[in-house]
C-alpha cells in the first residue's frame, strides 16, 4: 500500500489467483472505510515495488507477470489526479523481489532482487522523476533478494538484510546517500529476509520480523540509530512473522504489523510492549498490506499457508487501537 495525497492509499498489482501463478493489473484507491477501483496497471505484476514520489504520483517498478516467467524491467507511474497509469522508461536491469525507497532529493533508489529464478543481483538503480530515467546506482556488497528499505530523515536510504543464497539470510546493512555514495553500517544483530523496515518519528528505524532460513520466523526486532550507524535489540513481537509487506507507524509512534503470522499486532517501541488485536482474527495472511487512511487502519490482501488468497479486508478505527 502506498500513500497518496489527501489521506488516501493505493493498492496496485499482486497475485491474481491462488498459488500466485498469475499476477494482476488491478489497482484500488482506499479512502477511510471505502475502496474503489482505479485505472489498471499497464502490465500485470507481482513482487514489484511501489514508491510515492514527492509530487504525489506513484512509481511502480519490476516484478513478475506470472510464476515461472522472467522478471520485468518495465516501470509505470500512477497519477492520482487522473487515476491513470503511464509507462515510464524501463530499468536497466529487470528484477523482482527488490526493495525501493525515496532519497531526500526526490529520486528513488531501487536495489537488489531476482534477475532470474536462480540469480540475485547486487545492482541498484536510481530513478529521476525530472528526466523520467533510471541511472546506475552504487553496487551492494553482496547480491540479495527480499531485502527491505526505508527513507531516513537526512535523505539517505537504509537497506537491511536479504537472502544472499537460497534460504540463507545476511546481516547486510547499508546507507545510500543522494550523492550516490554507499556506506556499510551495522551489521544487523540477526540476519533476516522477508522482513519489514520503517522509520519512526524519533528518526530511528525499526527492523521487524523476517526469517533466517524460510522456516524459523523471527519475533525479534532491532532499532537502528542513524547517529551511530548501529543496531540494538528492539521490542519483541508476540508472534514470529515473515513475508511482510511493510508496517504502518501510528500518529502516537506505535507500529502496526500485519500478516506473516497470526492476526495483526500493535507494537510500542517506547514501552517494549506488543499486543495482538482480537478483532483481527488469528489466521495468517502473508504479504498482506497495511496503511492508514483518514483515521482508519486498513489491512488488505495476502495469502494463507497453502498460498490461497485470503481476501483480507480489515478497517479498524485508530481510536480502537
Amino acid at each position: 500500500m502506498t500513500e497518496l495525497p489527501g489521506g488516501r492509499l493505493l493498492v496496485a498489482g499482486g497475485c491474481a489467483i491462488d498459488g500466485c501463478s498469475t499476477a494482476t493489473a488491478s489497482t484500488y484507491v482506499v479512502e477511510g472505510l471505502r475502496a474503489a477501483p482505479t485505472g489498471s496497471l499497464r502490465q500485470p505484476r507481482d513482487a514489484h515495488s511501489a514508491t510515492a514520489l514527492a509530487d504525489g504520483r506513484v512509481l511502480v517498478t519490476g516484478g513478475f507477470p506470472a510464476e515461472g516467467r522472467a522478471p520485468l524491467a518495465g516501470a509505470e507511474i500512477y497519477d492520482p489526479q487522473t487515476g491513470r497509469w503511464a509507462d515510464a522508461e524501463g530499468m536497466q536491469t529487470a528484477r523482482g523481489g527488490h526493495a525501493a525507497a525515496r532519497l531526500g532529493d526526490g529520486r528513488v533508489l531501487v536495489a537488489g532482487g531476482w534477475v532470474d529464478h536462480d540469480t540475485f543481483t547486487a545492482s541498484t538503480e536510481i530513478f529521476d522523476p525530472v528526466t523520467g530515467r533510471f541511472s546506475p546506482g552504487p553496487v551492494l556488497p553482496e547480491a540479495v533478494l527480499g531485502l527491505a528499505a526505508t527513507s531516513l530523515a537526512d535523505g539517505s536510504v537504509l537497506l537491511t538484510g536479504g537472502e544472499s543464497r537460497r534460504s540463507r539470510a545476511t546481516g547486510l546493512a547499508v546507507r545510500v546517500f543522494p550523492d550516490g555514495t554507499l556506506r556499510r553500517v551495522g551489521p544487523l544483530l540477526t540476519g533476516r529476509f522477508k522482513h519489514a523496515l520503517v522509520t519512526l518519528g524519533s528518526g530511528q528505524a525499526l527492523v521487524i520480523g523476517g526469517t533466517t532460513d524460510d522456516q524459523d520466523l523471527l519475533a525479534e526486532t532491532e532499532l537502528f540509530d542513524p547517529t551511530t550507524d548501529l543496531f540494538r535489540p528492539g521490542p519483541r513481537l508476540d508472534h514470529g512473522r515473515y513475508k511482510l509487506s511493510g508496517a504502518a507507524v501510528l500518529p502516537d509512534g506505535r507500529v502496526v504489523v500485519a500478516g506473516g503470522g497470526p492476526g495483526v499486532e500493535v507494537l510500542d517501541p517506547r514501552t517494549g510492549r506488543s499486543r495482538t488485536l482480537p478483532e483481527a482474527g488469528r489466521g495468517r495472511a502473508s504479504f498482506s498490506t497495511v496503511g492508514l487512511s483518514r483515521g482508519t487502519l486498513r489491512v488488505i490482501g495476502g495469502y494463507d499457508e497453502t498460498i490461497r488468497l485470503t481476501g483480507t479486508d480489515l478497517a479498524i478505527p485508530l481510536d480502537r487501537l
Side-chain angles (χ1 to χ4, degrees):
M1 229 184 284
T2 310
E3 292 185 10
L4 296 173
R8 296 174 298 160
L9 300 166
L10 179 70
V11 181
C15 298
I17 60 175
D18 292 344
C20 289
S21 57
T22 303
T24 181
S26 298
T27 64
Y28 295 84
V29 170
V30 176
E31 186 170 2
L33 298 174
R34 299 176 299 172
T38 187
S40 296
L41 287 162
R42 298 175 68 83
Q43 165 71 62
R45 58 184 79 220
D46 181 38
H48 52 290
S49 68
T51 309
L53 300 176
D55 61 7
R57 296 178 299 160
V58 175
L59 171 72
V60 165
T61 60
F64 295 91
E67 188 175 5
R69 298 277 299 279
L72 301 166
E76 307 181 35
I77 294 179
Y78 176 76
D79 187 341
Q81 298 297 321
T82 63
R84 294 179 180 175
W85 292 88
D87 287 327
E89 182 176 293
M91 295 185 292
Q92 298 185 356
T93 300
R95 65 184 79 216
H98 52 286
R102 196 171 78 209
L103 292 159
D105 62 5
R107 296 179 301 156
V108 176
L109 175 72
V110 180
W114 265 308
V115 291
D116 62 39
H117 292 285
D118 297 306
T119 307
F120 310 153
T121 184
S123 71
T124 73
E125 303 183 38
I126 297 176
F127 175 78
D128 188 336
V130 176
T131 65
R133 295 179 177 177
F134 289 86
S135 60
V139 178
L140 301 175
E142 56 186 309
V144 285
L145 164 74
L147 69 170
T150 191
S151 303
L152 299 178
D154 70 345
S156 66
V157 167
L158 174 67
L159 299 168
T160 61
E163 187 177 2
S164 58
R165 286 182 290 168
R166 288 285 184 181
S167 301
R168 181 69 61 86
T170 177
L172 175 70
V174 301
R175 291 172 75 170
V176 177
F177 296 85
D179 65 2
T181 60
L182 178 150
R183 183 166 79 214
R184 196 158 189 167
V185 300
L188 289 171
L189 304 178
T190 302
R192 63 186 76 207
F193 58 96
K194 298 179 182 176
H195 55 294
L197 178 63
V198 294
T199 300
L200 306 175
S202 64
Q204 298 182 96
L206 182 66
V207 183
I208 307 167
T211 180
T212 58
D213 57 6
D214 252 332
Q215 297 183 28
D216 179 26
L217 309 190
L218 298 172
E220 292 82 6
T221 72
E222 301 182 30
L223 284 163
F224 174 76
D225 186 340
T227 64
T228 64
D229 279 345
L230 298 175
F231 293 85
R232 61 179 175 84
R236 186 179 176 84
L237 295 164
D238 286 345
H239 309 278
R241 297 178 180 275
Y242 84 138
K243 293 185 177 180
L244 298 172
S245 289
V249 181
L250 298 174
D252 63 6
R254 292 178 298 161
V255 177
V256 179
V257 186
V264 177
E265 286 189 50
V266 180
L267 179 68
D268 191 333
R270 295 163 301 183
T271 65
R273 297 176 182 173
S274 186
R275 67 184 182 92
T276 302
L277 301 179
E279 59 266 55
R282 305 293 295 178
R284 295 178 184 271
S286 297
F287 291 124
S288 58
T289 186
V290 59
L292 307 178
S293 175
R294 296 190 180 276
T296 304
L297 171 71
R298 294 299 300 266
V299 181
I300 296 175
Y303 59 73
D304 63 17
E305 294 92 332
T306 62
I307 320 182
R308 296 186 62 184
L309 304 185
T310 64
T312 299
D313 188 358
L314 297 174
I316 305 173
L318 296 189
D319 59 12
R320 291 173 55 188
L321 300 177

